[in-house]
Amino acid sequence: MNQDAVFQTMVRDLSFVLYDVLDIGALCKTPKFSGTQRDDFDDMIEAAVRLAAEVFAPCAAELDEKEPRMEGERVVLPASLREALRLYVEGGYQGSFLPEEEGGLGLPYVVAQAMSAAFFAANPSAAAYPMLTAAAVNMLRLFGSEEQKARYLAPMIEGRFFGTMVLSEPDVGSSLADLRTRAIPQADGTYHIVGNKMWISGGEHDLSENIVHMVLARLDGAPAGVKGISLFLVPKRHVQEDGSFGENNGVTLVGLNHKMGYRGTVNTALAFGEERPAVGTLIGEPHQGMKYMFHMMNEARTGVGLGATMIGYAGYRVSLDYAKDRIQGRHPDVRDPSTPPVRIIEHADVRRMLLTQKVYVEGGLGLGMYCARLIDMLGLAEDAAERERVDDLLQILTPIAKAWPSVYGLQANELAMQILGGAGYTRDWPVERYYRDNRLNPIHEGTNGIQGLDLLGRKVTMHQGRAFRRLLETIQSAIAQHRGNVEMTEICDALEKALGLVLETTTTLAGAAMQGEVRLFLANATEYLHMLGHVVVAWMWLEQAAAALRGLETSTESFLEGKIQAARFFTRYELPHIERQAKLLMQLDDTTLSMREEGF
Amino acid sequence: MNQDAVFQTMVRDLSFVLYDVLDIGALCKTPKFSGTQRDDFDDMIEAAVRLAAEVFAPCAAELDEKEPRMEGERVVLPASLREALRLYVEGGYQGSFLPEEEGGLGLPYVVAQAMSAAFFAANPSAAAYPMLTAAAVNMLRLFGSEEQKARYLAPMIEGRFFGTMVLSEPDVGSSLADLRTRAIPQADGTYHIVGNKMWISGGEHDLSENIVHMVLARLDGAPAGVKGISLFLVPKRHVQEDGSFGENNGVTLVGLNHKMGYRGTVNTALAFGEERPAVGTLIGEPHQGMKYMFHMMNEARTGVGLGATMIGYAGYRVSLDYAKDRIQGRHPDVRDPSTPPVRIIEHADVRRMLLTQKVYVEGGLGLGMYCARLIDMLGLAEDAAERERVDDLLQILTPIAKAWPSVYGLQANELAMQILGGAGYTRDWPVERYYRDNRLNPIHEGTNGIQGLDLLGRKVTMHQGRAFRRLLETIQSAIAQHRGNVEMTEICDALEKALGLVLETTTTLAGAAMQGEVRLFLANATEYLHMLGHVVVAWMWLEQAAAALRGLETSTESFLEGKIQAARFFTRYELPHIERQAKLLMQLDDTTLSMREEGF
């Protein structure tokens, strides 16, 4: 239902961000992507949107209703999921951004993410399986041994094996430092993994021939904390040298978690080495597991943020369609009840809810694609200085790209439901499912509280604030670039003022940190993340407005006019939120810290 | 699960608001309640909390899982719901605030609402049945004929008949002016009701012997719009003069709505007069139906707000309990991973999320009880001037009391889930159900958008702003009263400044209205509601802090200290939100109105 509403402008929305704003066409001129051209990108994106609309979206409600269940050690999932994933693999999406010589399509990462965006909008819990597999593939490519790569990588890229990330334990979620799963060295160079793992998405199913678990565990005698964690590859079924399957490995399904949403992604508790040995091989060096995992985080966290944005996007489009169709009430200055009622899109408050959704989801999409292009630029950087600059931006933007869309994409879904009213609260419409699905995103891949600490406590301060300064300089130069057009004055002024506030706030906070007031420095890190997030998204809207103005020089497309109005809306309604946050942060408020526990 | 967490401090929380803040003990000295004393209130409240904890809460998960289903024309509901409602009726709660001579317990309305609060926290979808019945009882008492009262009122108060409010139609939700259900006069003075009705909570079930529908319909030739709507009493089963049942009336169950939450309250589509005549009797005068309905709205809308608050309250208590128990991570200034990890209540961000919940739900509870006491005061007013003053306050506070808790109670539930993390996203814990249940409250009994228009477009402006001025004077005098204590200075100063901003904003808006700019005046009515709502709740916190300081003169209770810290938190973290809103409103921003539809 309403798939048309979700997908009718998606190709235009993606092409606006990719070409009009980010000019990714320029990538085709780089040596790495010299074999590609814009038409290739467009064809792939259109095909992905079609597959998302025609196959992924139609089974999303079924995946939600028929939640995964256990039959013995088996997990039962709807056949429609298997078929959707089969077509995904067949379309070559699994390795789309890998070089052709590795079985990929050789596309830029940003194009791959644009395609992922379509699948997230259509069916996030189906899309999670290939996304997790891609994350495992990326890790293995970078850090796996030749033997590991030879045995597992090709089948993963071909979509015959799926991958997982196995981090959490029953008592260890946000604090991986405390994980206890053991890895016991064997004479043959392998390891026996022993321990219980929790919250493992895609941990058991028969959607693929095999499952390749990437497992964090601790070698005996390893240092305490995160510096003593190693990473292991543990297959569900052993793979022989010739690629044929051996016996099952010792990974047992203990139970399923029953979630509020995102139900199509089976979420498991697994026991390693309980009934029989769970044999794994070490990835990279001992005790470096967290480094490898964190290397992946930029992509995984950006992916979570993009998913949150796109669930929000789907809700925006459905509620927009509904608002154009649904007739209810009259304008407040029309008192004659015999005049015909109007479509609800005419009501100011419905327009406010639509514009709010629009700025959240299209701003979030801009940020997601910007980060994806940074990942491409990292691979293209021609010297160490450029590489450092891009990496700095990526590092500091990552917690924002994860947490900001997960908060505001969810708020967008809340507004979509409000526009549909009672109908939106029923399962006759998809918006209640979007709302339930999206609620996961502030929690997984590091809760948003963790992201706030990462941003302020690590990324802002690292290299004496170098990444922070680079972000501000990048935004500042965007303002300078766009100031020329008088239509941009309001937005440029507001963003410039906001940058000043961010700098002042950050300086005050850094002062507290320098004086050793670490708890006070970080007490309101979440507020800081929201503040810097709003400034970054205001910058995304600055770029989108500027691109729209360029477009309007030769076009009268309403879509472009809408972008400018949306940028104004963000400037007037949203950006001013940071004043409250800045004031609170600069006061180094300790109200939360000084609250006595007994007073709650 | 976790019922203990929800109820362990509920009696103290209620007694603080009722006695320490609102001094409802004084009601016992009034002629109307001269037969009551505080002990009676306490006994009733404690019994209600016990019934809520021991019977209502334990079946809430079951009502959610086994959602109502149709078997032919029957609705199947879990037996536990019937048993809970039987004990509710047996306890005398259905008519607790009615005079003893009418079969009630003669308690003040505010005490009845305190008891309702307990049931809402325990199981909102079970509590809805008696709440709807109470609303119908109140209407019938005021406006029903002697014959209607004789035949229906006593069985409703006894809990043998349940009541419903039948307003919406498939195309008519927020805009009742357009409703089309017809009422056709019959020779015997009755009416045949013909039409389809939608979103009728409790519209069909066999939890009671009979269902008494209060139905809005239009007499042929009635004026257009809301001035041509009449109200009819339409029983499910006819009742003979001797009280015995006649045949079934022509009310047919057409279907059930399948909701995201609040599932235990069956929500129906009904057809009137489809298969056989649906015979009803007119309540009051023709064309006065909306007046009668609106007379009820103060109570019904306050009830929705209280429900939202209490679902938020339940989440707060569960997440507080979890935060005291769950061990995870270390303080940010502790780098040694061999030190033991701490309970998450020690983390600043968790404390922020707990304090935010606390100020939302305890502030909302204060507002709900304040409004309930106003309803008592309306009945006790000794002269027309006092009655007018109380009615003014009630009128202007009602849209706030409905909408504010429905927004912030829901936000509280979102934070509760965030504190529980992945666990909170599963159905192993009740917080995901709270979150789903509470999402209804911004929608029903008039969407929050409608409440914003009601507040700014009707209540603020009525009688040349008299109610608005009275509200500001009431808050101003509270500030003056509490200024003496130096501990109150910060809160008093902040609230005084906020009042100035509200006045300035409202004056600017009223200026636009006077110039006929009605659409601009109301364009951001929802923002206005949030602004005035935050100011009203800041006033509730002012009163709670003052009461706590009084208490601390003779006590060292941590509970009281927590109240003062929470009031500070609201002042520092929440109240400053109004600055952004005031600025936006004073600019008479037209961004939403000037957005072209094609630009979305």
Side-chain angles (χ1 to χ4, degrees):
Chain A
M1 168 174 292
N2 283 86
Q3 294 145 28
D4 294 347
V6 174
F7 295 98
Q8 64 196 358
T9 62
M10 187 179 282
V11 170
R12 180 69 187 104
D13 278 320
L14 290 170
S15 82
F16 176 74
V17 173
L18 295 180
Y19 301 112
D20 304 358
V21 179
L22 294 176
D23 187 25
I24 69 151
L27 292 174
C28 304
K29 297 177 197 124
T30 61
K32 183 172 175 188
F33 298 114
S34 61
T36 61
Q37 48 185 334
R38 175 169 168 170
D39 281 354
D40 302 333
F41 302 168
D42 289 345
D43 290 348
M44 281 300 295
I45 290 171
E46 277 169 36
V49 170
R50 207 160 44 240
L51 179 61
E54 292 173 3
V55 178
F56 274 64
C59 66
E62 186 191 7
L63 293 196
D64 182 62
E65 277 160 32
K66 298 184 188 158
E67 119 182 284
R69 61 190 167 79
M70 282 172 81
E71 259 182 20
E73 288 198 22
R74 255 189 87 226
V75 171
V76 182
L77 288 160
S80 58
L81 173 62
R82 179 190 305 273
E83 177 62 7
L85 295 176
R86 190 185 68 75
L87 291 168
Y88 183 94
V89 164
E90 199 175 279
Y93 299 104
Q94 184 64 74
S96 60
F97 60 95
L98 295 178
E100 291 182 57
E101 57 271 25
E102 292 184 32
L105 299 177
L107 291 171
Y109 187 73
V110 66
V111 175
Q113 284 293 81
M115 298 191 293
S116 297
F119 295 109
F120 278 129
N123 192 335
S125 63
Y129 295 92
M131 305 302 155
L132 284 163
T133 303
V137 162
N138 284 338
M139 167 139 63
L140 205 56
R141 278 183 80 221
L142 287 171
F143 306 110
S145 67
E146 288 311 313
E147 195 191 326
Q148 284 168 332
K149 287 198 264 189
R151 211 169 286 195
Y152 295 99
L153 203 51
M156 290 173 85
I157 294 170
E158 290 162 15
R160 294 194 294 114
F161 296 3
F162 283 0
T164 68
M165 315 288 277
V166 184
L167 289 74
S168 300
E169 297 177 2
D171 292 324
V172 176
S174 294
S175 176
L176 292 171
D178 296 310
L179 71 79
R180 286 188 308 221
T181 294
R182 292 175 62 199
I184 304 157
Q186 306 297 308
D188 64 356
T190 64
Y191 296 81
H192 284 186
I193 310 296
V194 182
N196 288 295
K197 291 289 187 175
M198 187 66 170
W199 308 119
I200 313 307
S201 288
E204 176 53 39
H205 55 74
D206 52 13
L207 297 165
S208 55
E209 297 170 24
N210 202 355
I211 301 174
V212 186
H213 301 290
M214 304 297 178
V215 185
L216 290 182
R218 203 180 278 287
L219 291 162
D220 289 349
V226 293
K227 291 176 182 163
I229 297 174
S230 305
L231 182 62
F232 299 87
L233 187 157
V234 185
K236 173 182 169 182
R237 303 169 71 182
H238 285 297
V239 179
Q240 323 270 32
E241 224 177 313
D242 64 356
S244 66
F245 290 118
E247 57 188 0
N248 279 355
N249 203 356
V251 185
T252 322
L253 177 64
V254 175
L256 303 183
N257 290 307
H258 296 285
K259 294 175 288 183
M260 180 173 73
Y262 240 101
R263 293 185 173 186
T265 308
V266 60
N267 191 280
T268 60
L270 299 176
F272 286 79
E274 195 179 62
E275 293 171 4
R276 50 191 182 282
V279 182
T281 50
L282 181 69
I283 295 178
E285 302 293 317
H287 316 321
Q288 301 298 310
M290 286 302 285
K291 199 179 84 180
Y292 306 145
M293 275 289 178
F294 268 107
H295 218 281
M296 292 302 312
M297 286 294 176
N298 286 342
E299 289 169 44
R301 290 184 171 172
T302 308
V304 167
L306 183 62
T309 290
M310 296 314 294
I311 304 173
Y313 179 93
Y316 169 51
R317 302 306 309 188
V318 170
S319 67
L320 174 60
D321 205 49
Y322 186 89
K324 285 179 176 172
D325 190 52
R326 171 80 172 170
I327 291 168
Q328 192 87 176
R330 289 164 189 80
H331 286 289
D333 51 1
V334 175
R335 296 190 169 263
D336 179 357
S338 68
T339 57
V342 300
R343 294 167 311 131
I344 63 171
I345 196 171
E346 296 196 30
H347 296 311
D349 198 50
V350 172
R351 297 173 147 252
R352 180 187 63 82
M353 294 192 279
L354 288 170
L355 268 165
T356 306
Q357 290 181 74
K358 183 178 175 74
V359 296
Y360 290 163
V361 303
E362 296 178 9
L365 182 61
L367 178 59
M369 293 299 117
Y370 184 88
C371 289
R373 198 191 54 163
L374 285 178
I375 291 173
D376 281 317
M377 288 168 70
L378 211 52
L380 293 169
E382 289 180 354
D383 55 43
E386 169 67 359
R387 201 180 157 76
E388 182 191 276
R389 192 187 71 82
V390 172
D391 191 52
D392 277 352
L393 285 177
L394 195 55
Q395 293 285 343
I396 196 165
L397 286 175
T398 294
I400 295 171
K402 188 273 175 179
W404 193 94
S406 74
V407 171
Y408 295 99
L410 179 63
Q411 280 195 21
N413 286 133
E414 195 174 314
L415 293 170
M417 191 185 295
Q418 193 67 19
I419 288 174
L420 270 73
Y425 194 65
T426 69
R427 302 201 294 282
D428 295 341
W429 288 83
V431 292
E432 67 87 27
R433 172 161 44 80
Y434 301 156
Y435 182 67
R436 286 185 288 110
D437 284 352
N438 221 349
R439 186 62 190 83
L440 177 60
N441 286 314
I443 296 172
H444 69 162
E445 281 294 342
T447 64
N448 283 4
I450 297 286
Q451 304 299 327
L453 294 173
D454 179 50
L455 175 65
L456 183 58
R458 197 176 297 143
K459 304 300 176 60
V460 165
T461 48
M462 68 182 188
H463 311 304
Q464 289 76 47
R466 192 182 71 203
F468 174 72
R469 283 194 308 278
R470 278 193 162 131
L471 175 63
L472 261 55
E473 285 160 15
T474 306
I475 301 176
Q476 191 66 60
S477 77
I479 296 170
Q481 188 192 338
H482 300 309
R483 264 222 178 281
N485 191 327
V486 66
E487 294 283 333
M488 297 291 292
T489 305
E490 179 189 357
I491 305 172
C492 287
D493 286 351
L495 187 52
E496 187 135 44
K497 191 178 149 206
L499 283 185
L501 215 47
V502 165
L503 183 61
E504 196 184 344
T505 305
T506 310
T507 307
T508 304
L509 289 169
M514 298 290 277
Q515 286 166 29
E517 295 279 7
V518 175
R519 294 191 194 186
L520 211 46
F521 163 55
L522 292 171
N524 291 294
T526 299
E527 298 271 2
Y528 184 85
L529 185 144
H530 285 207
M531 181 183 69
L532 193 50
H534 256 54
V535 171
V536 163
V537 174
W539 162 41
M540 294 294 128
W541 274 110
L542 173 87
E543 296 285 9
Q544 295 198 21
L549 282 166
R550 285 194 300 274
L552 285 170
E553 289 169 13
T554 56
S555 151
T556 57
E557 198 185 6
S558 305
F559 174 89
L560 297 173
E561 287 178 358
K563 286 288 185 183
I564 296 166
Q565 188 78 345
R568 290 198 185 109
F569 182 86
F570 196 89
T571 306
R572 294 168 188 171
Y573 280 67
E574 289 293 326
L575 190 56
H577 278 292
I578 71 163
E579 291 170 28
R580 182 194 69 85
Q581 293 153 342
K583 200 168 153 191
L584 183 73
L585 287 158
M586 281 192 275
Q587 285 165 346
L588 296 170
D589 189 279
D590 76 339
T591 313
T592 58
L593 296 175
S594 61
M595 175 76 175
R596 288 183 53 205
E597 185 175 322
E598 301 74 24
F600 278 109
Chain B
M1 170 172 288
N2 283 85
Q3 294 144 30
D4 293 348
V6 174
F7 296 98
Q8 66 198 355
T9 62
M10 187 178 283
V11 170
R12 180 67 187 105
D13 278 320
L14 289 170
S15 83
F16 176 73
V17 173
L18 294 180
Y19 302 112
D20 303 359
V21 180
L22 295 176
D23 188 24
I24 69 151
L27 291 174
C28 305
K29 295 177 199 125
T30 62
K32 183 173 175 185
F33 299 114
S34 60
T36 62
Q37 47 184 334
R38 176 171 168 168
D39 281 355
D40 302 331
F41 302 167
D42 289 346
D43 290 349
M44 281 301 294
I45 290 170
E46 277 170 36
V49 170
R50 206 159 46 238
L51 179 60
E54 294 174 2
V55 177
F56 274 64
C59 67
E62 186 191 9
L63 293 195
D64 182 62
E65 277 160 32
K66 299 184 189 157
E67 127 183 274
R69 61 188 167 82
M70 281 171 80
E71 260 183 19
E73 288 197 23
R74 255 188 89 228
V75 171
V76 183
L77 288 159
S80 58
L81 173 60
R82 179 190 305 275
E83 177 62 7
L85 294 177
R86 190 186 68 75
L87 291 168
Y88 183 93
V89 163
E90 198 175 280
Y93 299 103
Q94 183 64 72
S96 61
F97 59 93
L98 296 178
E100 291 182 57
E101 57 272 25
E102 292 183 33
L105 298 177
L107 291 171
Y109 186 73
V110 65
V111 175
Q113 283 294 80
M115 298 191 292
S116 297
F119 294 109
F120 278 128
N123 192 333
S125 62
Y129 295 92
M131 303 305 155
L132 283 164
T133 303
V137 162
N138 283 338
M139 168 139 62
L140 206 55
R141 277 184 80 221
L142 287 173
F143 305 111
S145 68
E146 288 312 313
E147 196 190 326
Q148 284 168 332
K149 288 197 263 188
R151 213 169 284 194
Y152 295 100
L153 204 50
M156 290 174 85
I157 295 169
E158 288 162 17
R160 294 195 292 115
F161 296 2
F162 283 1
T164 69
M165 316 289 275
V166 184
L167 289 75
S168 299
E169 297 177 5
D171 293 321
V172 176
S174 294
S175 177
L176 292 171
D178 296 310
L179 73 78
R180 285 189 307 222
T181 294
R182 291 174 62 199
I184 304 159
Q186 304 298 308
D188 64 353
T190 65
Y191 296 81
H192 284 185
I193 309 296
V194 182
N196 288 295
K197 291 290 188 175
M198 187 67 170
W199 309 118
I200 312 307
S201 288
E204 176 53 40
H205 56 73
D206 52 11
L207 297 165
S208 55
E209 296 170 24
N210 202 356
I211 301 175
V212 186
H213 301 291
M214 304 297 177
V215 185
L216 290 183
R218 202 180 278 289
L219 289 162
D220 289 348
V226 292
K227 290 176 183 164
I229 297 174
S230 304
L231 183 61
F232 299 87
L233 186 159
V234 184
K236 174 182 169 182
R237 302 169 73 181
H238 285 297
V239 178
Q240 322 270 34
E241 223 178 312
D242 65 355
S244 66
F245 291 118
E247 58 189 0
N248 279 356
N249 204 356
V251 184
T252 321
L253 177 64
V254 175
L256 303 183
N257 290 306
H258 297 285
K259 293 174 289 182
M260 180 173 75
Y262 241 101
R263 293 187 174 183
T265 308
V266 61
N267 189 280
T268 60
L270 299 177
F272 286 78
E274 196 178 61
E275 292 171 5
R276 52 190 180 284
V279 182
T281 50
L282 180 70
I283 295 179
E285 300 294 317
H287 315 321
Q288 301 296 312
M290 286 302 284
K291 199 180 84 180
Y292 306 146
M293 275 290 179
F294 267 107
H295 218 279
M296 292 303 311
M297 286 294 176
N298 287 341
E299 288 169 44
R301 291 184 169 171
T302 308
V304 167
L306 183 62
T309 290
M310 296 314 294
I311 304 173
Y313 179 94
Y316 169 52
R317 301 307 307 189
V318 170
S319 67
L320 175 60
D321 204 50
Y322 186 90
K324 286 179 175 171
D325 189 53
R326 171 81 173 170
I327 291 167
Q328 192 87 177
R330 288 164 190 80
H331 286 289
D333 52 1
V334 175
R335 296 190 169 263
D336 179 356
S338 69
T339 58
V342 300
R343 294 166 311 130
I344 63 172
I345 197 169
E346 296 197 30
H347 298 310
D349 198 50
V350 172
R351 296 173 148 252
R352 180 187 62 83
M353 293 191 280
L354 288 170
L355 268 165
T356 306
Q357 290 181 74
K358 184 178 174 74
V359 296
Y360 289 165
V361 304
E362 296 178 10
L365 182 61
L367 178 58
M369 292 298 117
Y370 184 87
C371 289
R373 198 191 54 163
L374 285 179
I375 291 173
D376 281 317
M377 286 167 71
L378 211 51
L380 293 169
E382 288 180 356
D383 55 45
E386 170 66 0
R387 200 178 158 78
E388 181 191 274
R389 193 188 71 82
V390 173
D391 191 53
D392 277 352
L393 285 176
L394 194 55
Q395 293 285 343
I396 196 166
L397 285 175
T398 294
I400 295 171
K402 188 273 175 180
W404 193 94
S406 74
V407 171
Y408 295 98
L410 178 63
Q411 281 195 21
N413 286 133
E414 194 174 315
L415 294 170
M417 192 186 293
Q418 193 67 18
I419 289 174
L420 269 73
Y425 194 63
T426 70
R427 302 202 293 282
D428 295 341
W429 289 83
V431 292
E432 67 89 27
R433 172 163 42 81
Y434 300 155
Y435 183 65
R436 287 185 289 111
D437 284 352
N438 221 349
R439 185 61 189 84
L440 178 60
N441 286 314
I443 294 172
H444 69 163
E445 281 293 343
T447 64
N448 284 3
I450 296 286
Q451 304 298 327
L453 294 173
D454 179 50
L455 175 64
L456 183 56
R458 197 177 296 141
K459 302 301 177 58
V460 165
T461 49
M462 67 183 188
H463 311 304
Q464 289 77 46
R466 193 183 70 202
F468 174 72
R469 284 193 307 278
R470 277 193 164 133
L471 175 63
L472 260 55
E473 285 161 15
T474 305
I475 301 175
Q476 192 65 60
S477 79
I479 297 170
Q481 188 192 337
H482 300 310
R483 264 220 178 282
N485 191 326
V486 67
E487 295 282 335
M488 296 292 291
T489 306
E490 178 188 358
I491 304 172
C492 287
D493 285 352
L495 187 53
E496 186 135 45
K497 192 178 147 207
L499 283 185
L501 215 47
V502 165
L503 184 60
E504 197 184 343
T505 304
T506 310
T507 306
T508 304
L509 288 169
M514 298 289 278
Q515 286 165 30
E517 295 278 6
V518 176
R519 295 191 194 185
L520 211 48
F521 163 55
L522 292 171
N524 291 295
T526 299
E527 298 272 2
Y528 184 86
L529 185 145
H530 286 204
M531 181 183 71
L532 193 51
H534 257 52
V535 171
V536 163
V537 174
W539 161 42
M540 294 295 127
W541 275 109
L542 174 88
E543 296 285 10
Q544 294 197 21
L549 282 167
R550 285 195 299 273
L552 285 169
E553 289 170 11
T554 56
S555 150
T556 58
E557 198 186 6
S558 305
F559 174 90
L560 298 172
E561 287 178 357
K563 287 287 184 183
I564 296 165
Q565 188 79 347
R568 290 197 184 109
F569 182 86
F570 196 90
T571 306
R572 294 167 188 171
Y573 280 67
E574 289 293 326
L575 191 56
H577 277 291
I578 71 164
E579 290 170 28
R580 182 194 69 84
Q581 293 152 343
K583 202 168 151 188
L584 183 73
L585 286 158
M586 280 192 275
Q587 285 165 345
L588 297 170
D589 189 278
D590 75 340
T591 313
T592 57
L593 295 176
S594 61
M595 175 76 174
R596 287 183 52 205
E597 186 175 323
E598 301 74 24
F600 277 110

